[in-house]
Amino acid sequence: MKRRLAALVITLVVAVLGACTPQEATSFARTNDLRKAAAVAPLAWNEAAYAKAVSWSQHMAAEGRLSHSNLAEGVPAGWSRLGENVARAGSVEEAMAALAGSAPHLANILNPGFTSVAIGIVERDGRVWVTQVFVG
């Protein structure tokens, strides 16, 4: 029953978020779970920054190494603050745990100045590459 309910919730989140994958929807929900636990307002999905997040994960996967993007490049105008988390792991769950377990990455996740996020996940050669683009 719990698995069916979880699958239904993920399906609904994907439908609401638009173009993102189920893994990205799960990561989005996990990011907001962390904010909720810290009594920080949830993030909205930022469809306008989604292409940047996916593109940067593809770039890192192609290069085979973690790196940060030029934050302002590819993010539509109108923002007052930007942040970025990147991760590489064997699974999305491992990547999210690594981000949550790192003080600087968790600070981005919990930053109340950020109001939306886009998450791009790319799988390549048994690894997942994750980019979170935070916008405030």
Side-chain angles (χ1 to χ4, degrees):
M1 179 69 169
K2 284 185 179 181
R3 283 183 178 230
R4 277 192 238 162
L5 182 58
L8 177 62
V9 168
I10 290 171
T11 301
L12 290 173
V13 170
V14 170
V16 169
L17 298 183
C20 78
T21 68
Q23 286 183 322
E24 292 160 347
T26 298
S27 295
F28 175 69
R30 174 75 175 118
T31 300
N32 273 328
D33 287 346
L34 291 167
R35 288 174 70 93
K36 182 178 179 182
V40 179
L43 295 165
W45 180 258
N46 191 316
E47 189 66 27
Y50 178 63
K52 176 189 177 61
V54 172
S55 175
W56 195 252
S57 288
Q58 289 170 337
H59 169 81
M60 291 188 301
E63 293 286 318
R65 66 182 180 87
L66 288 174
S67 60
H68 284 282
S69 71
N70 175 340
L71 271 177
E73 188 175 297
V75 178
W79 53 269
S80 60
R81 104 181 16 175
L82 294 172
E84 181 179 71
N85 285 346
V86 296
R88 172 188 64 208
S91 69
V92 173
E93 294 78 18
E94 288 175 12
M96 290 304 297
L99 293 172
S102 162
H105 296 99
L106 184 60
N108 273 343
I109 292 169
L110 300 181
N111 186 328
F114 294 132
T115 56
S116 65
V117 67
I119 302 171
I121 298 175
V122 171
E123 292 184 63
R124 188 169 296 163
D125 300 327
R127 310 286 270 160
V128 295
W129 301 83
V130 178
T131 303
Q132 294 177 314
V133 177
F134 297 93
V135 181

